[in-house]
Structure formats: structure tokens, C-alpha cells
Amino acid sequence: QVQLVESGGGSVQVGGSLRLSCAAYGYTISNYCMAWFRQAPGKEREGVATIDTFGTTTYADSVRGRFTISRDYAKNTLYLQMNSLKPEDTAMYYCAAAPRTYCYKVVFPYSGQGTQVTVSS
């Protein structure tokens, strides 16, 4: 059974940094397209970043240059390093997985419960 557990969220001031983690159980992340999404109150879920099985990454324009998605195969964990945080980054952040080599137009059948990130000025 595939299970994803996020952690690392919290409250931070503008310009600060956080690193989110997503521990995966029941499968090996190296064989899956992995992603981070976020959802702010009253807004639709937004794709933040993806990483495919070859390590190719994509980012939303709003986070490119500030966020970095990565994986640790030994820990079977996905990460999202977030730097230069802005108030508009405030949201619930979710990791997601799909049993696909590439992440292009992928539907993600698995996701975690989320971790809250709050950025205050």
C-alpha cells in the first residue's frame, strides 16, 4: 500500500527558508514521478514542482529559482527546499506520486495529508 507522509512545515518570516520532507512507504520513489502541490485557502490546488525517474525537474513560474525539489533514494524520501519565502507561499503543501517514468500530463493517484506552511511579514 502506497503511503506518503509529509513533514517540515511551520511558520516563518518573509525571506526565510523551510525544507519539506515526504517519506514514502510501500513503493520505491525511484520508479515514480513525484511532485509537490500546494493549496491556499479559497484557491485551487497548484502544482509547485515535479521530478521524474531520470531526475528531470520542473517548477511553477512562481517558485522557480527559490524552491528545489530533490530525492534521497536511501531514505526513500522526497524533499522541497524553499528559500526566500513570500507571504503568497502560505498554503498547505502536499506531495504526490504516480507510477510513471515521466511527469508530463500525469495524473497523481497518491498523495499525503499535507503540511502547513505559513509565511508572515
Side-chain angles (χ1 to χ4, degrees):
Q1 180 178 356
V2 174
Q3 185 178 8
L4 300 169
V5 180
E6 302 97 335
S7 62
S11 296
V12 64
Q13 291 189 329
V14 169
S17 299
L18 284 173
R19 188 178 79 157
L20 306 184
S21 299
C22 172
Y25 303 93
Y27 75 103
T28 302
I29 64 171
S30 60
N31 297 329
Y32 279 60
C33 162
M34 301 292 296
W36 286 97
F37 291 83
R38 66 186 181 185
Q39 188 167 19
K43 295 187 177 181
E44 293 187 354
R45 183 171 291 199
E46 172 190 21
V48 175
T50 67
I51 184 166
D52 69 17
T53 60
F54 291 98
T56 302
T57 57
T58 66
Y59 296 93
D61 289 343
S62 57
V63 307
R64 188 175 293 112
R66 300 187 298 121
F67 290 10
T68 302
I69 187 172
S70 62
R71 299 173 297 188
D72 185 326
Y73 292 147
K75 296 182 179 180
N76 212 37
T77 298
L78 179 74
Y79 299 101
L80 185 68
Q81 177 66 45
M82 305 186 296
N83 300 327
S84 303
L85 283 162
K86 305 175 181 179
E88 51 264 43
D89 295 320
T90 296
M92 184 71 78
Y93 284 72
Y94 303 86
C95 66
R100 297 290 183 271
T101 301
Y102 300 103
C103 295
Y104 182 67
K105 291 188 176 181
V106 166
V107 175
F108 293 89
Y110 308 111
S111 64
Q113 294 300 308
T115 186
Q116 177 68 38
V117 172
T118 303
V119 184
S120 58
S121 56

